[in-house]
mmCIF file of all heavy atoms in Angstrom:
data_model
loop_
_atom_site.group_PDB
_atom_site.id
_atom_site.type_symbol
_atom_site.label_atom_id
_atom_site.label_comp_id
_atom_site.label_asym_id
_atom_site.label_seq_id
_atom_site.Cartn_x
_atom_site.Cartn_y
_atom_site.Cartn_z
ATOM 1 N N HIS F 1 -6.093 13.134 80.340
ATOM 2 C CA HIS F 1 -7.168 14.101 80.180
ATOM 3 C C HIS F 1 -8.211 13.585 79.193
ATOM 4 O O HIS F 1 -7.875 13.058 78.131
ATOM 5 C CB HIS F 1 -6.613 15.437 79.671
ATOM 6 C CG HIS F 1 -7.654 16.477 79.432
ATOM 7 N ND1 HIS F 1 -7.983 16.951 78.182
ATOM 8 C CD2 HIS F 1 -8.474 17.131 80.300
ATOM 9 C CE1 HIS F 1 -8.935 17.856 78.280
ATOM 10 N NE2 HIS F 1 -9.254 17.989 79.555
ATOM 11 N N SER F 2 -9.487 13.714 79.563
ATOM 12 C CA SER F 2 -10.600 13.441 78.659
ATOM 13 C C SER F 2 -10.524 12.029 78.058
ATOM 14 O O SER F 2 -10.397 11.047 78.793
ATOM 15 C CB SER F 2 -10.643 14.525 77.575
ATOM 16 O OG SER F 2 -11.872 14.531 76.905
ATOM 17 N N TYR F 3 -10.573 11.935 76.721
ATOM 18 C CA TYR F 3 -10.508 10.625 76.076
ATOM 19 C C TYR F 3 -9.193 9.891 76.375
ATOM 20 O O TYR F 3 -9.122 8.670 76.248
ATOM 21 C CB TYR F 3 -10.664 10.781 74.562
ATOM 22 C CG TYR F 3 -12.090 10.661 74.061
ATOM 23 C CD1 TYR F 3 -12.405 10.966 72.728
ATOM 24 C CD2 TYR F 3 -13.127 10.230 74.885
ATOM 25 C CE1 TYR F 3 -13.699 10.863 72.246
ATOM 26 C CE2 TYR F 3 -14.420 10.132 74.416
ATOM 27 C CZ TYR F 3 -14.706 10.446 73.093
ATOM 28 O OH TYR F 3 -15.990 10.330 72.612
ATOM 29 N N GLY F 4 -8.152 10.630 76.771
ATOM 30 C CA GLY F 4 -6.916 9.967 77.152
ATOM 31 C C GLY F 4 -7.136 9.003 78.305
ATOM 32 O O GLY F 4 -6.565 7.913 78.352
ATOM 33 N N GLY F 5 -7.977 9.416 79.270
ATOM 34 C CA GLY F 5 -8.317 8.538 80.382
ATOM 35 C C GLY F 5 -9.176 7.376 79.947
ATOM 36 O O GLY F 5 -9.012 6.237 80.419
ATOM 37 N N THR F 6 -10.104 7.640 79.040
ATOM 38 C CA THR F 6 -10.945 6.574 78.501
ATOM 39 C C THR F 6 -10.088 5.534 77.800
ATOM 40 O O THR F 6 -10.299 4.318 77.953
ATOM 41 C CB THR F 6 -11.971 7.155 77.513
ATOM 42 O OG1 THR F 6 -12.521 8.355 78.024
ATOM 43 C CG2 THR F 6 -13.098 6.162 77.252
ATOM 44 N N GLU F 7 -9.120 5.997 77.052
ATOM 45 C CA GLU F 7 -8.207 5.092 76.339
ATOM 46 C C GLU F 7 -7.405 4.251 77.322
ATOM 47 O O GLU F 7 -7.226 3.048 77.109
ATOM 48 C CB GLU F 7 -7.271 5.919 75.447
ATOM 49 C CG GLU F 7 -7.962 6.603 74.291
ATOM 50 C CD GLU F 7 -7.269 7.890 73.856
ATOM 51 O OE1 GLU F 7 -6.101 8.103 74.231
ATOM 52 O OE2 GLU F 7 -7.906 8.687 73.146
ATOM 53 N N TRP F 8 -6.929 4.879 78.397
ATOM 54 C CA TRP F 8 -6.141 4.117 79.369
ATOM 55 C C TRP F 8 -6.987 3.032 80.027
ATOM 56 O O TRP F 8 -6.536 1.897 80.200
ATOM 57 C CB TRP F 8 -5.558 5.040 80.456
ATOM 58 C CG TRP F 8 -4.745 4.235 81.431
ATOM 59 C CD1 TRP F 8 -3.447 3.851 81.289
ATOM 60 C CD2 TRP F 8 -5.211 3.671 82.661
ATOM 61 N NE1 TRP F 8 -3.079 3.071 82.369
ATOM 62 C CE2 TRP F 8 -4.141 2.947 83.223
ATOM 63 C CE3 TRP F 8 -6.437 3.705 83.337
ATOM 64 C CZ2 TRP F 8 -4.248 2.260 84.429
ATOM 65 C CZ3 TRP F 8 -6.552 3.024 84.542
ATOM 66 C CH2 TRP F 8 -5.470 2.322 85.079
ATOM 67 N N LEU F 9 -8.214 3.372 80.401
ATOM 68 C CA LEU F 9 -9.096 2.383 81.024
ATOM 69 C C LEU F 9 -9.316 1.192 80.102
ATOM 70 O O LEU F 9 -9.204 0.031 80.517
ATOM 71 C CB LEU F 9 -10.435 3.029 81.391
ATOM 72 C CG LEU F 9 -10.431 3.969 82.598
ATOM 73 C CD1 LEU F 9 -11.725 4.753 82.650
ATOM 74 C CD2 LEU F 9 -10.237 3.178 83.884
ATOM 75 N N HIS F 10 -9.635 1.460 78.833
ATOM 76 C CA HIS F 10 -9.869 0.373 77.883
ATOM 77 C C HIS F 10 -8.597 -0.434 77.649
ATOM 78 O O HIS F 10 -8.633 -1.669 77.587
ATOM 79 C CB HIS F 10 -10.394 0.927 76.556
ATOM 80 C CG HIS F 10 -11.863 1.208 76.557
ATOM 81 N ND1 HIS F 10 -12.808 0.248 76.289
ATOM 82 C CD2 HIS F 10 -12.553 2.353 76.798
ATOM 83 C CE1 HIS F 10 -14.021 0.774 76.361
ATOM 84 N NE2 HIS F 10 -13.886 2.057 76.673
ATOM 85 N N ALA F 11 -7.463 0.260 77.517
ATOM 86 C CA ALA F 11 -6.197 -0.436 77.272
ATOM 87 C C ALA F 11 -5.846 -1.346 78.439
ATOM 88 O O ALA F 11 -5.432 -2.501 78.250
ATOM 89 C CB ALA F 11 -5.082 0.577 77.027
ATOM 90 N N TYR F 12 -6.038 -0.856 79.649
ATOM 91 C CA TYR F 12 -5.688 -1.653 80.821
ATOM 92 C C TYR F 12 -6.639 -2.838 81.002
ATOM 93 O O TYR F 12 -6.206 -3.982 81.179
ATOM 94 C CB TYR F 12 -5.707 -0.783 82.082
ATOM 95 C CG TYR F 12 -5.325 -1.555 83.326
ATOM 96 C CD1 TYR F 12 -3.993 -1.702 83.684
ATOM 97 C CD2 TYR F 12 -6.294 -2.156 84.120
ATOM 98 C CE1 TYR F 12 -3.627 -2.424 84.806
ATOM 99 C CE2 TYR F 12 -5.947 -2.883 85.243
ATOM 100 C CZ TYR F 12 -4.618 -3.016 85.583
ATOM 101 O OH TYR F 12 -4.265 -3.750 86.688
ATOM 102 N N ILE F 13 -7.930 -2.559 80.964
ATOM 103 C CA ILE F 13 -8.916 -3.596 81.262
ATOM 104 C C ILE F 13 -8.905 -4.705 80.215
ATOM 105 O O ILE F 13 -9.214 -5.859 80.510
ATOM 106 C CB ILE F 13 -10.318 -2.955 81.388
ATOM 107 C CG1 ILE F 13 -10.371 -2.086 82.651
ATOM 108 C CG2 ILE F 13 -11.419 -4.006 81.432
ATOM 109 C CD1 ILE F 13 -11.629 -1.265 82.787
ATOM 110 N N SER F 14 -8.515 -4.388 78.975
ATOM 111 C CA SER F 14 -8.529 -5.398 77.908
ATOM 112 C C SER F 14 -7.182 -6.097 77.720
ATOM 113 O O SER F 14 -7.053 -6.922 76.811
ATOM 114 C CB SER F 14 -8.938 -4.746 76.582
ATOM 115 O OG SER F 14 -7.968 -3.790 76.174
ATOM 116 N N SER F 15 -6.187 -5.799 78.572
ATOM 117 C CA SER F 15 -4.835 -6.328 78.355
ATOM 118 C C SER F 15 -4.345 -7.118 79.569
ATOM 119 O O SER F 15 -3.742 -6.533 80.488
ATOM 120 C CB SER F 15 -3.861 -5.188 78.053
ATOM 121 O OG SER F 15 -4.325 -4.389 76.990
ATOM 122 N N PRO F 16 -4.541 -8.429 79.599
ATOM 123 C CA PRO F 16 -4.064 -9.240 80.731
ATOM 124 C C PRO F 16 -2.565 -9.120 80.954
ATOM 125 O O PRO F 16 -2.103 -9.167 82.101
ATOM 126 C CB PRO F 16 -4.458 -10.669 80.322
ATOM 127 C CG PRO F 16 -5.612 -10.499 79.389
ATOM 128 C CD PRO F 16 -5.310 -9.240 78.632
ATOM 129 N N ASP F 17 -1.786 -8.959 79.879
ATOM 130 C CA ASP F 17 -0.332 -8.856 80.045
ATOM 131 C C ASP F 17 0.059 -7.566 80.743
ATOM 132 O O ASP F 17 0.968 -7.548 81.583
ATOM 133 C CB ASP F 17 0.371 -8.985 78.689
ATOM 134 C CG ASP F 17 -0.044 -7.904 77.707
ATOM 135 O OD1 ASP F 17 -1.250 -7.586 77.654
ATOM 136 O OD2 ASP F 17 0.820 -7.377 76.977
ATOM 137 N N ILE F 18 -0.628 -6.473 80.431
ATOM 138 C CA ILE F 18 -0.334 -5.213 81.112
ATOM 139 C C ILE F 18 -0.746 -5.297 82.579
ATOM 140 O O ILE F 18 -0.027 -4.829 83.474
ATOM 141 C CB ILE F 18 -1.033 -4.043 80.397
ATOM 142 C CG1 ILE F 18 -0.411 -3.832 79.006
ATOM 143 C CG2 ILE F 18 -0.925 -2.753 81.220
ATOM 144 C CD1 ILE F 18 -1.075 -2.762 78.183
ATOM 145 N N GLN F 19 -1.884 -5.903 82.844
ATOM 146 C CA GLN F 19 -2.326 -6.094 84.227
ATOM 147 C C GLN F 19 -1.312 -6.910 85.024
ATOM 148 O O GLN F 19 -1.056 -6.626 86.201
ATOM 149 C CB GLN F 19 -3.677 -6.803 84.247
ATOM 150 C CG GLN F 19 -4.801 -6.043 83.592
ATOM 151 C CD GLN F 19 -5.993 -6.940 83.286
ATOM 152 O OE1 GLN F 19 -6.203 -7.958 83.967
ATOM 153 N NE2 GLN F 19 -6.764 -6.598 82.275
ATOM 154 N N LYS F 20 -0.723 -7.897 84.385
ATOM 155 C CA LYS F 20 0.229 -8.782 85.064
ATOM 156 C C LYS F 20 1.602 -8.148 85.230
ATOM 157 O O LYS F 20 2.244 -8.305 86.278
ATOM 158 C CB LYS F 20 0.357 -10.085 84.268
ATOM 159 C CG LYS F 20 1.368 -11.065 84.846
ATOM 160 C CD LYS F 20 1.475 -12.313 83.979
ATOM 161 C CE LYS F 20 2.542 -13.267 84.514
ATOM 162 N NZ LYS F 20 2.664 -14.482 83.646
ATOM 163 N N ASN F 21 2.048 -7.411 84.221
ATOM 164 C CA ASN F 21 3.445 -6.971 84.185
ATOM 165 C C ASN F 21 3.701 -5.566 84.714
ATOM 166 O O ASN F 21 4.836 -5.221 85.021
ATOM 167 C CB ASN F 21 3.974 -7.036 82.749
ATOM 168 C CG ASN F 21 4.008 -8.454 82.216
ATOM 169 O OD1 ASN F 21 4.275 -9.402 82.959
ATOM 170 N ND2 ASN F 21 3.724 -8.612 80.924
ATOM 171 N N MET F 22 2.640 -4.750 84.796
ATOM 172 C CA MET F 22 2.847 -3.358 85.190
ATOM 173 C C MET F 22 1.964 -2.984 86.373
ATOM 174 O O MET F 22 0.798 -3.387 86.439
ATOM 175 C CB MET F 22 2.570 -2.407 84.017
ATOM 176 C CG MET F 22 3.479 -2.622 82.820
ATOM 177 S SD MET F 22 3.174 -1.439 81.473
ATOM 178 C CE MET F 22 3.896 0.058 82.166
ATOM 179 N N ARG F 23 2.534 -2.206 87.272
ATOM 180 C CA ARG F 23 1.777 -1.655 88.393
ATOM 181 C C ARG F 23 1.568 -0.161 88.135
ATOM 182 O O ARG F 23 2.499 0.531 87.703
ATOM 183 C CB ARG F 23 2.522 -1.854 89.714
ATOM 184 C CG ARG F 23 1.887 -1.116 90.886
ATOM 185 C CD ARG F 23 2.600 -1.385 92.194
ATOM 186 N NE ARG F 23 2.105 -0.525 93.265
ATOM 187 C CZ ARG F 23 0.972 -0.717 93.916
ATOM 188 N NH1 ARG F 23 0.213 -1.761 93.622
ATOM 189 N NH2 ARG F 23 0.586 0.109 94.870
ATOM 190 N N PHE F 24 0.370 0.308 88.397
ATOM 191 C CA PHE F 24 0.053 1.719 88.221
ATOM 192 C C PHE F 24 -0.208 2.315 89.607
ATOM 193 O O PHE F 24 -1.292 2.145 90.168
ATOM 194 C CB PHE F 24 -1.151 1.887 87.302
ATOM 195 C CG PHE F 24 -0.873 1.450 85.892
ATOM 196 C CD1 PHE F 24 -1.008 0.123 85.522
ATOM 197 C CD2 PHE F 24 -0.427 2.354 84.943
ATOM 198 C CE1 PHE F 24 -0.733 -0.298 84.225
ATOM 199 C CE2 PHE F 24 -0.141 1.952 83.644
ATOM 200 C CZ PHE F 24 -0.292 0.620 83.289
ATOM 201 N N SER F 25 0.805 2.973 90.130
ATOM 202 C CA SER F 25 0.722 3.459 91.514
ATOM 203 C C SER F 25 -0.381 4.490 91.682
ATOM 204 O O SER F 25 -1.216 4.394 92.582
ATOM 205 C CB SER F 25 2.068 4.057 91.933
ATOM 206 O OG SER F 25 3.072 3.068 91.911
ATOM 207 N N LYS F 26 -0.379 5.494 90.803
ATOM 208 C CA LYS F 26 -1.375 6.563 90.897
ATOM 209 C C LYS F 26 -1.861 6.917 89.499
ATOM 210 O O LYS F 26 -1.051 7.173 88.604
ATOM 211 C CB LYS F 26 -0.785 7.794 91.583
ATOM 212 C CG LYS F 26 -0.374 7.532 93.031
ATOM 213 C CD LYS F 26 0.348 8.713 93.639
ATOM 214 C CE LYS F 26 0.793 8.397 95.074
ATOM 215 N NZ LYS F 26 1.554 9.513 95.677
ATOM 216 N N VAL F 27 -3.175 6.926 89.334
ATOM 217 C CA VAL F 27 -3.789 7.260 88.054
ATOM 218 C C VAL F 27 -4.721 8.449 88.276
ATOM 219 O O VAL F 27 -5.680 8.361 89.042
ATOM 220 C CB VAL F 27 -4.585 6.073 87.479
ATOM 221 C CG1 VAL F 27 -5.268 6.468 86.174
ATOM 222 C CG2 VAL F 27 -3.677 4.860 87.264
ATOM 223 N N ILE F 28 -4.423 9.562 87.627
ATOM 224 C CA ILE F 28 -5.240 10.767 87.745
ATOM 225 C C ILE F 28 -5.993 10.975 86.439
ATOM 226 O O ILE F 28 -5.393 11.195 85.385
ATOM 227 C CB ILE F 28 -4.380 12.006 88.062
ATOM 228 C CG1 ILE F 28 -3.631 11.806 89.376
ATOM 229 C CG2 ILE F 28 -5.254 13.259 88.127
ATOM 230 C CD1 ILE F 28 -2.695 12.956 89.732
ATOM 231 N N LEU F 29 -7.311 10.901 86.502
ATOM 232 C CA LEU F 29 -8.172 11.098 85.336
ATOM 233 C C LEU F 29 -8.796 12.484 85.418
ATOM 234 O O LEU F 29 -9.388 12.845 86.444
ATOM 235 C CB LEU F 29 -9.266 10.026 85.299
ATOM 236 C CG LEU F 29 -8.795 8.569 85.352
ATOM 237 C CD1 LEU F 29 -9.992 7.619 85.374
ATOM 238 C CD2 LEU F 29 -7.881 8.243 84.177
ATOM 239 N N LEU F 30 -8.673 13.243 84.349
ATOM 240 C CA LEU F 30 -9.162 14.622 84.319
ATOM 241 C C LEU F 30 -10.298 14.748 83.306
ATOM 242 O O LEU F 30 -10.071 14.724 82.097
ATOM 243 C CB LEU F 30 -8.020 15.569 83.935
ATOM 244 C CG LEU F 30 -6.746 15.501 84.791
ATOM 245 C CD1 LEU F 30 -5.633 16.322 84.148
ATOM 246 C CD2 LEU F 30 -7.019 15.984 86.202
ATOM 247 N N GLY F 31 -11.531 14.858 83.781
ATOM 248 C CA GLY F 31 -12.661 15.010 82.867
ATOM 249 C C GLY F 31 -12.794 13.853 81.906
ATOM 250 O O GLY F 31 -13.006 14.059 80.706
ATOM 251 N N THR F 32 -12.710 12.641 82.423
ATOM 252 C CA THR F 32 -12.721 11.438 81.575
ATOM 253 C C THR F 32 -14.115 10.845 81.434
ATOM 254 O O THR F 32 -14.706 10.419 82.435
ATOM 255 C CB THR F 32 -11.766 10.376 82.168
ATOM 256 O OG1 THR F 32 -10.420 10.839 82.054
ATOM 257 C CG2 THR F 32 -11.909 9.049 81.451
ATOM 258 N N PRO F 33 -14.655 10.789 80.217
ATOM 259 C CA PRO F 33 -15.946 10.113 80.030
ATOM 260 C C PRO F 33 -15.764 8.606 80.020
ATOM 261 O O PRO F 33 -14.899 8.075 79.326
ATOM 262 C CB PRO F 33 -16.405 10.623 78.658
ATOM 263 C CG PRO F 33 -15.141 10.944 77.936
ATOM 264 C CD PRO F 33 -14.143 11.386 78.982
ATOM 265 N N VAL F 34 -16.588 7.909 80.801
ATOM 266 C CA VAL F 34 -16.513 6.449 80.878
ATOM 267 C C VAL F 34 -17.726 5.818 80.208
ATOM 268 O O VAL F 34 -17.625 4.778 79.566
ATOM 269 C CB VAL F 34 -16.407 5.992 82.351
ATOM 270 C CG1 VAL F 34 -16.336 4.466 82.455
ATOM 271 C CG2 VAL F 34 -15.178 6.621 83.004
ATOM 272 N N ASP F 35 -18.876 6.452 80.372
ATOM 273 C CA ASP F 35 -20.114 6.022 79.717
ATOM 274 C C ASP F 35 -20.784 7.266 79.147
ATOM 275 O O ASP F 35 -21.181 8.166 79.889
ATOM 276 C CB ASP F 35 -21.028 5.323 80.725
ATOM 277 C CG ASP F 35 -22.268 4.725 80.079
ATOM 278 O OD1 ASP F 35 -22.774 5.301 79.093
ATOM 279 O OD2 ASP F 35 -22.750 3.689 80.565
ATOM 280 N N GLU F 36 -20.915 7.331 77.820
ATOM 281 C CA GLU F 36 -21.435 8.532 77.174
ATOM 282 C C GLU F 36 -22.930 8.445 76.876
ATOM 283 O O GLU F 36 -23.450 9.204 76.061
ATOM 284 C CB GLU F 36 -20.642 8.803 75.898
ATOM 285 C CG GLU F 36 -19.163 9.066 76.176
ATOM 286 C CD GLU F 36 -18.366 9.419 74.940
ATOM 287 O OE1 GLU F 36 -18.374 10.596 74.548
ATOM 288 O OE2 GLU F 36 -17.728 8.498 74.367
ATOM 289 N N THR F 37 -23.622 7.566 77.579
ATOM 290 C CA THR F 37 -25.068 7.427 77.378
ATOM 291 C C THR F 37 -25.827 8.624 77.927
ATOM 292 O O THR F 37 -26.782 9.099 77.316
ATOM 293 C CB THR F 37 -25.574 6.149 78.086
ATOM 294 O OG1 THR F 37 -24.900 5.009 77.552
ATOM 295 C CG2 THR F 37 -27.077 5.989 77.898
ATOM 296 N N PHE F 38 -25.398 9.125 79.073
ATOM 297 C CA PHE F 38 -26.221 10.034 79.859
ATOM 298 C C PHE F 38 -25.752 11.484 79.769
ATOM 299 O O PHE F 38 -24.574 11.759 79.532
ATOM 300 C CB PHE F 38 -26.222 9.579 81.328
ATOM 301 C CG PHE F 38 -26.529 8.114 81.487
ATOM 302 C CD1 PHE F 38 -25.515 7.208 81.776
ATOM 303 C CD2 PHE F 38 -27.825 7.643 81.329
ATOM 304 C CE1 PHE F 38 -25.784 5.863 81.914
ATOM 305 C CE2 PHE F 38 -28.106 6.294 81.458
ATOM 306 C CZ PHE F 38 -27.083 5.400 81.754
ATOM 307 N N GLY F 39 -26.693 12.408 80.004
ATOM 308 C CA GLY F 39 -26.407 13.835 79.979
ATOM 309 C C GLY F 39 -26.272 14.406 81.372
ATOM 310 O O GLY F 39 -26.434 13.702 82.378
ATOM 311 N N GLU F 40 -26.041 15.702 81.465
ATOM 312 C CA GLU F 40 -25.709 16.329 82.737
ATOM 313 C C GLU F 40 -26.864 16.341 83.737
ATOM 314 O O GLU F 40 -26.636 16.510 84.941
ATOM 315 C CB GLU F 40 -25.220 17.760 82.518
ATOM 316 C CG GLU F 40 -26.233 18.690 81.897
ATOM 317 C CD GLU F 40 -25.674 20.092 81.697
ATOM 318 O OE1 GLU F 40 -25.553 20.830 82.689
ATOM 319 O OE2 GLU F 40 -25.353 20.428 80.545
ATOM 320 N N ARG F 41 -28.085 16.139 83.291
ATOM 321 C CA ARG F 41 -29.209 16.146 84.217
ATOM 322 C C ARG F 41 -29.407 14.812 84.918
ATOM 323 O O ARG F 41 -30.214 14.708 85.854
ATOM 324 C CB ARG F 41 -30.499 16.522 83.476
ATOM 325 C CG ARG F 41 -30.492 17.958 82.940
ATOM 326 C CD ARG F 41 -31.837 18.342 82.371
ATOM 327 N NE ARG F 41 -31.836 19.725 81.897
ATOM 328 C CZ ARG F 41 -32.889 20.344 81.390
ATOM 329 N NH1 ARG F 41 -34.051 19.698 81.288
ATOM 330 N NH2 ARG F 41 -32.791 21.590 80.977
ATOM 331 N N THR F 42 -28.680 13.803 84.481
ATOM 332 C CA THR F 42 -28.803 12.478 85.093
ATOM 333 C C THR F 42 -27.922 12.391 86.332
ATOM 334 O O THR F 42 -26.755 12.751 86.297
ATOM 335 C CB THR F 42 -28.376 11.378 84.100
ATOM 336 O OG1 THR F 42 -29.146 11.495 82.909
ATOM 337 C CG2 THR F 42 -28.587 10.005 84.708
ATOM 338 N N LYS F 43 -28.501 11.918 87.429
ATOM 339 C CA LYS F 43 -27.745 11.717 88.658
ATOM 340 C C LYS F 43 -27.374 10.251 88.803
ATOM 341 O O LYS F 43 -28.133 9.358 88.442
ATOM 342 C CB LYS F 43 -28.556 12.183 89.871
ATOM 343 C CG LYS F 43 -28.784 13.688 89.912
ATOM 344 C CD LYS F 43 -29.474 14.115 91.187
ATOM 345 C CE LYS F 43 -29.644 15.631 91.227
ATOM 346 N NZ LYS F 43 -30.309 16.079 92.479
ATOM 347 N N PHE F 44 -26.193 10.020 89.357
ATOM 348 C CA PHE F 44 -25.691 8.660 89.470
ATOM 349 C C PHE F 44 -26.509 7.847 90.475
ATOM 350 O O PHE F 44 -26.850 8.324 91.557
ATOM 351 C CB PHE F 44 -24.227 8.664 89.914
ATOM 352 C CG PHE F 44 -23.652 7.289 90.084
ATOM 353 C CD1 PHE F 44 -23.147 6.596 88.991
ATOM 354 C CD2 PHE F 44 -23.637 6.675 91.329
ATOM 355 C CE1 PHE F 44 -22.630 5.322 89.143
ATOM 356 C CE2 PHE F 44 -23.124 5.406 91.487
ATOM 357 C CZ PHE F 44 -22.613 4.721 90.389
ATOM 358 N N THR F 45 -26.820 6.613 90.091
ATOM 359 C CA THR F 45 -27.379 5.619 91.003
ATOM 360 C C THR F 45 -26.626 4.315 90.791
ATOM 361 O O THR F 45 -26.025 4.090 89.736
ATOM 362 C CB THR F 45 -28.880 5.370 90.761
ATOM 363 O OG1 THR F 45 -29.047 4.776 89.457
ATOM 364 C CG2 THR F 45 -29.679 6.655 90.844
#
């Protein structure tokens, strides 16, 4: 949930050993901010 998902993304992407040794079958992110630059009026492109 929330920053918990952000933490998982950073932990996984920055850890070659975790990428090599562990498989993540299903990852459910709930309200996870990935880029905090933009506000709610910005539409994705």
Side-chain angles (χ1 to χ4, degrees):
H1 178 248
S2 196
Y3 268 171
T6 317
E7 292 151 16
W8 181 83
L9 286 168
H10 278 275
Y12 181 86
I13 291 172
S14 64
S15 307
D17 60 319
I18 293 177
Q19 297 164 27
K20 178 182 177 181
N21 296 325
M22 299 182 74
R23 171 177 172 78
F24 294 85
S25 297
K26 297 174 182 178
V27 177
I28 300 177
L29 306 177
L30 305 171
T32 292
V34 180
D35 186 327
E36 298 183 83
T37 301
F38 310 104
E40 62 181 285
R41 294 187 178 182
T42 304
K43 293 185 178 181
F44 179 84
T45 65

